[in-house]
Amino acid sequence: EVFPSDPIKIDEVLRRIGTHVNTHVPGPRWADYVAMVDGALNAPLHPFYSDSVKRMKMKQGLPFVEGAPVGIDGTYAWIKAVGAQLKLNGAVVEAVAAEERAKVVAAMGDFPLKGRTFMVAGYEGHEFLLVRLLLEAGASVPFLSTSVNTNPLAREEEAWLAEHGCKVLYSANFDDEIGALEDHPYDCVIGTTPLCAHAKELGIPSIYYTNALATRSLMLAEGAGDILSLVVSTQRSKERYGKIARFFSEDGTPRRTYTSWVPK
């Protein structure tokens, strides 16, 4: 499930190594879903499509590759994995993978995040890939909250995040996220509507996940530049968020207390 220009960019890269995208979902036509069974390889780009992978393997016997062309390490590893599974020309695959990795490095160089601390809270698996981008750009992400349960396809991503200092909380609830929000001096929060609303009351720059990030390009160099440009511009507004929080507080300081949130 990829948006909006990612399928086009991925297809361009795959054609350079000797293959192409047969179809992607969600697709606008029924024929897009019929074409899924004619592929030689299944690539679940978000790490929580285990049911789809299981059915494709059981019914069509399609092999699959894990991960996604996101970030420096992820882009290189994914292109190499596709080439290996399809037994494509090794030298060509290596050259393209190295070139695309270099493009991501260059894109990230325009949006440094070293010394900045982020909290990310999502609900579908997309957030794992986003945190990878933030970490490789130099940010600290001590906590990732996700609404989904643990999944075999997420183990590789979770291990990579853990190596880079990020703890993953599965099946998280709002109280868990609020507790984590109070544990660190965050420079920016990317999360659900109620979490971002609370963060803004504390004077922390926040980005609503669904509205601003889940529908943006994420993969390859174009995705890295698109996502990081928004994130950098938002976290640089921390002073303005602080002024707004002080303006609406009773004593001129951002609110630091929390009353249990109960949906109506």
Side-chain angles (χ1 to χ4, degrees), residues 215-261:
T215 57
R216 284 177 178 262
S217 178
L218 176 71
M219 301 176 189
L220 301 171
E222 180 179 292
D226 189 18
I227 293 292
L228 293 177
S229 64
L230 171 64
V231 170
V232 167
S233 64
T234 301
Q235 63 88 22
R236 284 177 178 172
S237 303
K238 190 171 185 177
E239 184 178 349
R240 289 196 294 124
Y241 279 81
K243 288 181 179 179
I244 294 172
R246 289 191 295 272
F247 179 83
F248 286 103
S249 67
E250 295 180 359
D251 60 357
T253 59
R255 184 169 72 86
R256 299 298 302 178
T257 59
Y258 167 61
T259 303
S260 293
W261 175 78

Side-chain angles (χ1 to χ4, degrees), residues 7 9 20 26 49 68 78 85 94 106 138 155 175-176 195 218 224 264:
K9 296 298 181 182
H20 66 277
Y49 288 151
W78 188 83
Q85 281 282 3
E94 171 63 29
R155 289 173 184 164
D175 290 306
D176 294 328
L195 177 63
L218 176 71
K264 297 181 179 179

Side-chain angles (χ1 to χ4, degrees), residues 83-208:
Q85 281 282 3
L86 296 178
K87 297 179 174 56
L88 303 177
N89 185 299
V92 173
V93 172
E94 171 63 29
V96 172
E99 181 181 343
E100 292 302 317
R101 178 176 58 188
K103 289 180 181 178
V104 177
V105 172
M108 286 187 169
D110 294 332
F111 306 102
L113 290 174
K114 186 176 182 179
R116 303 299 181 182
T117 303
F118 288 77
M119 176 179 173
V120 178
Y123 50 85
E124 55 161 19
H126 181 283
E127 57 273 14
F128 279 66
L129 306 178
L130 171 65
V131 173
R132 175 185 281 269
L133 276 182
L134 297 177
L135 291 171
E136 289 189 333
S140 171
V141 186
F143 179 82
L144 165 61
S145 167
T146 181
S147 299
V148 299
N149 297 318
T150 56
N151 189 293
L153 288 184
R155 289 173 184 164
E156 184 176 320
E157 284 294 331
E158 183 179 2
W160 190 95
L161 297 181
E163 290 175 3
H164 292 76
C166 179
K167 178 183 178 181
V168 179
L169 177 62
Y170 290 96
S171 304
N173 59 47
F174 186 66
D175 290 306
D176 294 328
E177 294 169 351
I178 290 297
L181 188 62
E182 303 286 353
D183 288 341
H184 299 274
Y186 288 104
D187 294 291
C188 186
V189 170
I190 301 172
T192 58
T193 302
L195 177 63
C196 287
H198 183 70
K200 288 177 181 179
E201 290 186 22
L202 303 179
I204 305 173
S206 305
I207 305 174
Y208 293 133

